[in-house]
Amino acid sequence: MATFVLIHGAGDVGWYWHLVAAELRARGHEAIAPDLPCDDDSAGLPEYADTVVGAIGDRTDLIVAAQSFGGFTAPLLCDRVSVELLVLVAPMIPAPGEAPADYWTHTKFSEQVRVRYDDTIALFYQDVPPELAAEALNRARTQSEARMGEPSPLETWPNVATRVLIGRDDHLFPADFLHRITQERLGITPDEIDGGHTPALSRPHELVDRLEAYAAEQGLLGGP
């Protein structure tokens, strides 16, 4: 059995991971998916990390999976709790000391050749079943921008095994963009999964297969 800590993206809730969490539990693992204080103007990245650390408690040997903007919170956990593996899914990958508001300029996102989608469903949930996409929109929260200009407290990328998984048809972060950023910032090649930006809703079983495979590569699942 392994303990998976699941971190949602901007303006979202832990419910985003509910299908993945259920599948992980069905396979004998523990899954923790806290709600970050993303709609609280007084909360910044340190408070996001505090929230996750509080949800973890005294658990150890953790596998942390973070989606999208959750990539800014995930590496901050490694100096505070026992993390064995980071898995970044369709992620933002912060540089040390980078403010979230500066990410777009620093990564030259505006220069990326991509189709523009004005519809939220088309941008984030194009391959999610309609009823789940509607529920996701209903549960979404407004992402506070109040502290997005503050530098991340991340001083260096943690010395923790890190994998990056990207969607081949991600409408927000195209695959070629994430290939470039992953190579530039982590020096590794990302893996790919079919679909878009929110595979925890569109492909939960396949995503769990990937998470288990990454954990097994690190010897974290035990076994006979």
Side-chain angles (χ1 to χ4, degrees), residues 7-224:
I7 303 175
H8 65 74
D12 212 340
V13 290
W15 175 91
Y16 166 74
W17 290 101
H18 75 286
L19 297 176
V20 166
E23 182 65 20
L24 286 168
R25 291 172 186 137
R27 299 187 191 192
H29 306 299
E30 185 173 14
I32 304 164
D35 293 342
L36 302 184
C38 59
D39 54 354
D40 182 352
D41 286 344
S42 70
L45 293 176
E47 287 73 27
Y48 289 19
D50 289 345
T51 298
V52 182
V53 170
I56 291 169
D58 60 0
R59 298 172 179 87
T60 60
D61 302 325
L62 308 169
I63 300 161
V64 175
Q67 190 257 352
S68 197
F69 181 53
F72 266 84
T73 299
L76 301 179
L77 304 177
C78 297
D79 288 334
R80 301 180 57 183
V81 295
S82 174
V83 177
E84 300 294 330
L85 172 65
L86 288 177
V87 182
L88 306 179
V89 183
M92 297 173 75
I93 303 174
E98 184 172 57
D102 292 334
Y103 185 81
W104 314 100
T105 300
H106 291 174
T107 60
K108 301 180 181 179
F109 182 72
S110 65
E111 300 175 19
Q112 176 69 35
V113 176
R114 58 191 175 91
V115 178
R116 267 54 172 183
Y117 295 92
D118 295 326
D119 177 76
T120 301
I121 295 291
L123 185 60
F124 296 104
Y125 306 112
Q126 85 270 19
D127 56 344
V128 174
E131 66 278 7
L132 275 179
E135 182 70 10
L137 289 178
N138 185 56
R139 290 175 178 267
R141 295 175 293 167
T142 300
Q143 174 64 50
S144 172
E145 301 289 336
R147 294 181 61 184
M148 290 296 118
E150 295 181 3
S152 168
L154 181 69
E155 295 181 355
T156 187
W157 195 263
N159 185 25
V160 172
T162 302
R163 302 296 296 266
V164 177
L165 183 63
I166 66 178
R168 294 189 180 96
D169 192 32
D170 190 330
H171 288 177
L172 178 63
F173 295 142
D176 57 346
F177 171 78
L178 281 181
H179 270 278
R180 175 173 63 82
I181 298 305
T182 303
Q183 284 283 358
E184 289 177 356
R185 297 201 160 186
L186 298 179
I188 62 175
T189 300
D191 298 314
E192 295 188 3
I193 191 172
D194 286 337
H197 192 66
T198 52
L201 294 176
S202 62
R203 288 169 172 79
H205 299 291
E206 185 178 352
L207 181 52
V208 171
D209 287 344
R210 296 294 188 105
L211 294 176
E212 281 197 320
Y214 293 151
E217 289 173 3
Q218 299 299 318
L220 301 176
L221 297 188

